[in-house]
């Protein structure tokens, strides 16, 4: 197995949660200080590492474990977007926008994709898949980072130091009546 594929196999499961958090931050950069991004980022990275270690222990192949982990992480982090996309849609009389049907379909697709990855016979194919996935994931991360850089250049505050974060927090506490329009999602089903 080429050394670059091994490194990418370790990087990909960390890129998926990083992209998710950075994308959300980039969309709300004017309402959330960067300090608020660190705890959720560390949480999802920690969960991803634990999941990767568990899959690695079961599969005993680093490349395949990485691909399986990426499949399930993508399912987890893209569920909300998929749900919005198919909300209210029906196929053959079935309302696929309902959470029970949607989650069942997503898990079915992830199981089939996992089975396909585990059935691959050669490490060359898994190494190529890992490389392609890496290019796509790095591209998505670059888009989020570019969005953040452009915002900071426009607002003339590229340096996000501890003093700026504390000033932002103090300003937010002073204007407690002006809450940001970011809310925590609590599922009702």
């Amino acid at each position: 197995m080429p050394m670059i594929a091994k490194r990418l196999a370790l990087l990909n499961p960390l890129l998926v949660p990083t992209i998710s958090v950075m994308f959300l931050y980039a969309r709300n950069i004017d309402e959330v200080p960067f300090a608020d991004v660190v705890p959720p980022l560390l949480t999802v990275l920690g969960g991803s590492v634990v999941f990767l270690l568990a899959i690695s222990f079961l599969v005993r192949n680093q490349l395949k474990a990485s691909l399986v982990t990426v499949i399930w992480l993508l399912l987890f982090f893209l569920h909300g977007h998929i749900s919005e996309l198919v909300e209210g849609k029906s196929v053959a009389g079935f309302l696929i926008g309902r959470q029970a049907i949607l989650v069942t379909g997503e898990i079915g697709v992830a199981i089939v994709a996992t089975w396909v990855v585990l059935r691959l016979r050669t490490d060359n194919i898994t190494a190529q898949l890992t490389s392609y996935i890496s290019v796509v994931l790095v591209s998505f991360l670059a888009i989020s980072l570019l969005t953040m850089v452009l915002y900071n250049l426009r607002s003339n505050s590229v340096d996000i130091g501890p003093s700026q974060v504390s000033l932002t927090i103090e300003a937010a506490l002073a204007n407690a009546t002006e809450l940001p329009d970011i809310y925590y999602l609590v599922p009702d089903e």
Side-chain angles (χ1 to χ4, degrees):
M1 175 176 0
M3 184 58 107
I4 189 81
K6 280 186 177 182
R7 289 185 181 153
L8 292 176
L10 293 175
L11 181 66
N12 286 348
L14 300 177
L15 282 174
V16 173
T18 302
I19 290 166
S20 299
V21 172
M22 289 296 122
F23 175 78
L24 185 60
Y25 175 65
R27 296 282 302 208
N28 298 288
I29 194 169
D30 56 339
E31 298 178 25
V32 179
F34 186 75
D36 288 352
V37 173
V38 175
L41 181 61
L42 293 176
T43 301
V44 295
L45 286 173
S48 298
V49 167
V50 168
F51 190 67
L52 176 63
L53 291 174
I55 297 296
S56 295
F57 178 74
L58 293 173
V59 174
R60 302 210 188 275
N61 181 320
Q62 189 176 4
L63 288 173
K64 289 181 180 182
S66 172
L67 287 172
V68 169
T69 302
V70 166
I71 289 167
W72 287 94
L73 288 174
L74 284 173
L75 169 74
F76 178 78
F77 286 109
L78 290 177
H79 171 74
H81 299 288
I82 295 169
S83 180
E84 285 180 6
L85 186 66
V86 299
E87 185 176 349
K89 304 274 192 304
S90 62
V91 173
F94 291 105
L95 185 63
I96 61 172
R98 290 185 45 217
Q99 289 300 315
I101 294 172
L102 182 61
V103 170
T104 302
E106 289 173 344
I107 290 174
V109 169
I111 288 171
V112 169
T114 299
W115 180 77
V116 168
V117 167
L118 295 177
R119 299 288 296 169
L120 293 175
R121 296 278 182 212
T122 65
D123 278 346
N124 289 339
I125 295 172
T126 52
Q128 285 179 327
L129 279 173
T130 300
S131 299
Y132 296 145
I133 290 171
S134 296
V135 169
V136 171
L137 292 176
V138 167
S139 299
F140 284 135
L141 183 60
I143 290 169
S144 292
L145 294 175
L146 181 64
T147 302
M148 289 183 259
V149 168
L150 291 176
Y151 174 81
N152 285 321
L153 288 175
R154 270 187 259 133
S155 67
N156 295 325
S157 64
V158 174
D159 182 34
I160 302 177
S163 61
Q164 283 182 319
V165 171
S166 65
L167 288 175
T168 305
I169 293 172
E170 289 173 10
L173 290 175
N175 298 328
T177 58
E178 296 180 29
L179 297 174
D181 65 352
I182 295 178
Y183 301 96
Y184 295 96
L185 298 177
V186 179
D188 61 345
E189 287 186 35

